Amino acid sequence: MHESESSSAVHDFQHRVIDEFRSNAGVVGGPFQGSPLLLLTTVGARSRRRHTTPLGYLDIDGKRLVVASAGGADRNPAWLHNLRTHPVVRVEVGSETYPATTSELTGAVRDRFWEAVVRKHGGYGTYQQMTARVIPLVEILPLPSRQGLDRVRGMGDFMHEVHQWLSAEIDLVIAQVDAIIATADVVTPMTLPPRTLHAEMLERCVTLCGALERHHMGEDFGAFPMVAEAFPALAPTLEKLRAEHVVVAEINALIRELLAGYTPGTSDPRELRVELHGLDARLREHFAFEEHTILDALNAVADAPPSPNPPAPDADSGQ
């Protein structure tokens, strides 16, 4: 069997296990029957896409551990590479799903727990004999829940709402470009009233770009230090996000330049639309990456800031 065929067979097998797991509250037959099994969802180190892997786990001395054995292969499994880059993961055990951070055990601590792992499941010792690499042990640490989490928005929820609002604003800008294209007269020069679609686009961009800057300044100097203090393992992820915010600022500047440079009747709105779509795609990729890697940790650290316009109390609430 060729490597690609082998990889495809493993992929199909894992998907069948995942489907069975989720259909039966974590109970799976076949080679996993009777063994503790969890689903680990990581963010791809390169792809930035979410990947779910079924793994056996062990609870030893208060630690929930997964073993990066890869069946005794000489290379570490992909999920280990992913969580080394992005340590915030989603875990499914039985019918429960929870966010967690991960920590690779090292030194004497790793050796002590490895002995316990092998005593409990001797097969891992066999896997170690098959490879020269030291098989890693990874602890899964559930992120703490906040009081009233079902009622109170967390900082991560707030971040998601800001992303949604910013994306909606960009959608409106692009929709207005589409309206210009649909109604443009390519023969007669355009004489636009004071409140033109172009003016609305420019105004909306100023609002959008200012909000984008404030959003990321708040993360870099407010939320991120809190996360770093609470979860030191997230330091590499936070550094990547800070670097990405430089890119986002550049995209912000390009949007400003595009709309400021658009001249009705002279500029080609179709070219403007193409360039805006490209910048929009890059922004949304950043938003998705940020939410995959940091949203759960932000929720665990702090509540969302209060809304500047809180909803009015219910008439029958007595307030």
Side-chain angles (χ1 to χ4, degrees):
M1 180 180 293
H2 295 294
E3 185 176 349
S4 60
E5 294 173 340
S6 176
S7 176
S8 177
V10 170
H11 181 76
D12 291 344
F13 171 74
Q14 287 190 342
H15 268 280
R16 290 196 298 271
V17 171
I18 291 168
D19 291 342
E20 185 179 0
F21 183 104
R22 289 174 173 165
S23 298
N24 297 286
V27 178
V28 177
F32 294 109
Q33 186 167 0
S35 300
L37 188 71
L38 59 76
L39 301 183
L40 183 73
T41 299
T42 60
V43 175
R46 291 186 179 180
S47 70
R48 298 187 172 189
R49 294 191 296 269
R50 288 181 173 174
H51 301 275
T52 300
T53 306
L55 296 171
Y57 71 90
L58 305 95
D59 289 330
I60 300 175
D61 294 344
K63 292 183 182 291
R64 176 155 290 176
L65 304 173
V66 288
V67 185
S69 62
D74 289 329
R75 291 192 299 178
N76 287 322
W79 61 262
L80 180 69
H81 182 53
N82 290 345
L83 63 81
R84 281 176 171 173
T85 306
H86 308 304
V88 175
V89 298
R90 302 290 292 184
V91 179
E92 297 170 60
V93 179
S95 57
E96 179 186 13
T97 300
Y98 60 87
T101 57
T102 53
S103 176
E104 196 170 332
L105 304 188
T106 59
V109 174
R110 184 264 174 201
D111 294 341
R112 178 166 63 85
F113 276 93
W114 178 258
E115 291 176 0
V117 165
V118 173
R119 282 198 302 270
K120 205 165 187 179
H121 289 285
Y124 289 120
T126 302
Y127 290 148
Q128 182 62 87
Q129 293 172 5
M130 295 167 60
T131 178
R133 69 183 174 94
V134 176
I135 293 178
L137 288 182
V138 176
E139 180 181 5
I140 294 173
L141 304 100
L143 286 168
S145 60
R146 294 174 295 108
Q147 185 68 28
L149 187 60
D150 58 334
R151 301 187 305 277
V152 179
R153 294 181 308 135
M155 185 67 75
D157 300 321
F158 173 72
M159 178 186 73
H160 175 67
E161 291 171 6
V162 171
H163 288 172
Q164 287 185 313
W165 180 79
L166 291 171
S167 296
E169 289 293 295
I170 296 172
D171 285 341
L172 287 174
V173 170
I174 293 174
Q176 291 173 43
V177 175
D178 288 339
I180 288 176
I181 293 172
T183 60
D185 186 337
V186 297
V187 177
T188 306
M190 295 177 66
T191 55
L192 303 175
R195 191 64 176 169
T196 64
L197 284 176
H198 173 246
E200 290 183 11
M201 279 197 303
L202 191 58
E203 178 182 310
R204 189 170 295 278
C205 177
V206 171
T207 303
L208 161 68
C209 296
L212 197 60
E213 287 175 350
R214 289 193 297 273
H215 165 56
H216 284 119
M217 287 286 285
E219 286 176 354
D220 287 341
F221 296 104
F224 282 7
M226 286 194 299
V227 176
E229 182 177 356
F231 308 108
L234 292 181
T237 297
L238 295 175
E239 284 303 313
K240 286 183 174 64
L241 290 173
R242 286 190 181 98
E244 290 235 339
H245 288 172
V246 174
V247 176
V248 169
E250 293 172 354
I251 295 173
N252 173 19
L254 287 172
I255 293 175
R256 288 177 187 268
E257 292 173 8
L258 278 174
L259 297 190
Y262 175 78
T263 303
T266 301
S267 302
D268 186 347
R270 291 174 177 80
E271 290 184 4
L272 175 63
R273 179 174 59 182
V274 169
E275 293 186 73
L276 283 174
H277 272 294
L279 295 173
D280 179 40
R282 291 170 63 189
L283 276 178
R284 290 175 193 265
E285 180 186 3
H286 166 77
F287 292 159
F289 173 63
E290 195 167 59
E291 292 184 20
H292 290 344
T293 55
I294 206 72
L295 185 148
D296 288 324
L298 284 175
N299 273 339
V301 168
D303 293 342
S307 170
N309 298 302
D314 295 336
D316 60 354
S317 66
Q319 298 181 359

